[in-house]
Amino acid sequence: MAAEDPPPPQVEERPEKPTLKTIARRTGLAVATVSRALADAPDLRTDTKALVRRVADELGYVPNRAGLRLRTGRTQVISLVMSTEHDMMNNTARLISSLAGTLRETPFHLNVSYFFPGEDALRSIQHIVEMGLADAVIFNQTQPADPRVAWLMAQRFPFATHGRTHWAGQHAWADFDNRAFGAIAVHKLARAGRRRIVVIAPPLNQNYAQDMVAGVMQAGAETGAEVRVLPDVSSDAASAVVQAGMALALAEGVDGLVCASTNSAMASVAALEAHGLRLGREIDLVAKEAIPFLTLFRREIIAIREDVARAGSVLARAAIRAIREPEALPLQDLEVPQDDQDH
């Protein structure tokens, strides 16, 4: 005899959704003060805003964004727009974490949007702006004359970029000095006696790739090392593509390697070890990383740290400033790596 089906679980009635009035009653403040505190009004005391946010969190208060937009014209959303191709295990994950953490103590929320290979990156930005989905946008992989930057400046819409452009003096950005990184990498290899150096650069249409190439070439001229960029392979390429490109380079007697990403460095190590070479003996490798990992993978790798968390924090604050103070000077930050001459 089949057992009877158990009765469905009882659905508990949800308590009434908290409102500004609920927070006002709990804090003893006026509704208008609560509203301004949640909007991070600059003339309110810090402890008052902290009290209101704490009580709002305890009550599970969620603002009505449709109503907020009608009242203020704002969404309190900042949208991060990324390519699906980007290196999620490294730079992107750290960037998202830092952005979200910085926005946590503000009224703004982070929304992450993606565009796919072959899609128009500008169209993704235009959709967000034209549909009123965010108060500001943040994006990376900038080109020197980036059409997204040109369009957003023409629209006077708040934005910040992870990377610079030809118009870097006119908009908010955070960047790593990739020209300095490239120069430091080649100088380290040259001091280790390496004279035939190959570079796995980012896609060359991007601004930071061009900066990096300029740095390695300048250092090559200064040290007398032969430096060349590996053709048809980028630091964003699949591991199999990097390994195939490196196999050809190693057959030509390369003894030094510069990589712009963790993934390309690991793929290169697989290629050189398959070729019978040993790091620190027949060949040296310098790579950039956002998370301390590469020296755990192979202690002989010469790793240079990029503080992507710093960039994320700057970008979040830069976007907020662009929203609230559109006439103020844009917030900008350049992280410059130092050559410690350890190698």
Side-chain angles (χ1 to χ4, degrees), residues 310-333:
R310 163 177 164 170
S313 177
V314 170
L315 291 170
R317 291 183 283 113
I320 292 173
R321 178 186 289 187
I323 293 166
R324 292 176 171 168
E325 305 174 64
E327 302 305 321
L329 289 174
L331 184 59
Q332 301 168 345
D333 179 72

Side-chain angles (χ1 to χ4, degrees), residues 8 56 76 94 159 195 209 225 227-228 255 261 280 287 306 324 333:
Q76 289 188 341
R94 181 58 61 94
F159 72 96
R195 286 295 177 265
V227 180
R228 65 186 179 90
D255 63 4
S261 72
E306 177 182 0
R324 292 176 171 168
D333 179 72

Side-chain angles (χ1 to χ4, degrees), residues 186-200:
V186 169
H187 278 285
K188 283 182 177 291
L189 292 172
R191 288 197 296 268
R194 306 309 179 185
R195 286 295 177 265
R196 302 194 67 190
I197 300 169
V198 72
V199 179
I200 300 180

Side-chain angles (χ1 to χ4, degrees), residues 14-31:
R14 293 184 178 181
E16 185 179 346
K17 183 178 178 181
T19 65
L20 295 178
K21 289 182 179 179
T22 314
I23 301 171
R25 286 196 298 269
R26 179 73 67 89
T27 60
L29 299 170
V31 172

